[in-house]
Amino acid sequence: LWLDRDYRKAQPLLEELVRLEPESAELNYELGDTLLRVESAEKSIPYPEKAVKSSPTLLPAHASLATAYLRLGPAEEAIPHLRAALAIDENGSLYYLLARAYEKVGQEGLARQNLQKFEQISKSARPRRQRFFEDRQITPP
């Protein structure tokens, strides 16, 4: 359900799984990401924080935690997590968020650099996205 982005249905199941396996970094990340999407950034933060502490190489958890921090305001807390997650940024969205975070803390030069990187990645990702959707179109027999 979580992979299919059916977050409302996934939430109670993930809550139960985290209750059963509270130390699971992956489950904490998934529950936190779900709460970020369906409830609030504030409720989500403890889960990716726990995931990042127990599994620092779980890069999607860094991205989710950074997104929650940015929604609440502490951009300086989001920056290290965004930087950690850049390796998984396929469409430039994390570079965009990093640019916003740097802008919020007054580092305009770094904000511009990351915005340029976002634009480069975004531009190169457009043909891939187009091919992805074209390959999956259902056509009549």
Side-chain angles (χ1 to χ4, degrees):
L1 294 171
W2 179 80
L3 288 174
D4 285 338
R5 297 183 174 147
D6 193 346
Y7 301 112
R8 294 221 181 266
K9 287 183 182 174
Q11 183 179 350
L13 297 172
L14 287 167
E15 288 171 341
E16 177 64 17
L17 289 170
V18 167
R19 191 184 66 71
L20 295 171
E21 293 185 52
E23 299 307 313
S24 169
E26 188 70 34
L27 290 173
N28 275 286
Y29 153 61
E30 290 174 6
L31 178 55
D33 189 62
T34 297
L35 291 171
L36 180 63
R37 294 168 191 273
V38 299
E39 291 207 17
S40 71
E42 191 171 23
K43 284 186 178 181
S44 76
I45 285 179
Y47 300 99
E49 278 181 341
K50 187 171 190 173
V52 164
K53 283 180 186 164
S54 66
S55 183
T57 59
L58 186 58
L59 301 184
H62 283 279
S64 186
L65 181 57
T67 302
Y69 282 152
L70 279 175
R71 286 188 187 169
L72 291 174
E76 59 281 345
E77 291 183 42
I79 290 170
H81 297 288
L82 285 166
R83 292 185 63 188
L86 289 177
I88 61 168
D89 191 359
E90 295 179 353
N91 62 10
S93 61
L94 296 177
Y95 280 97
Y96 179 79
L97 291 175
L98 186 55
R100 283 189 42 221
Y102 278 131
E103 190 174 76
K104 285 183 178 184
V105 297
Q107 295 187 18
E108 296 298 325
L110 289 171
R112 274 192 304 281
Q113 287 174 4
N114 283 282
L115 194 55
Q116 288 173 344
K117 187 72 174 168
F118 157 72
E119 290 168 354
Q120 288 173 333
I121 294 171
S122 181
K123 185 182 277 187
S124 69
R126 281 186 202 124
R128 285 194 311 264
R129 275 193 309 270
Q130 178 110 11
R131 279 193 307 276
F132 175 82
F133 289 113
E134 287 172 357
D135 290 347
R136 282 151 185 80
Q137 268 191 337
I138 299 172
T139 58

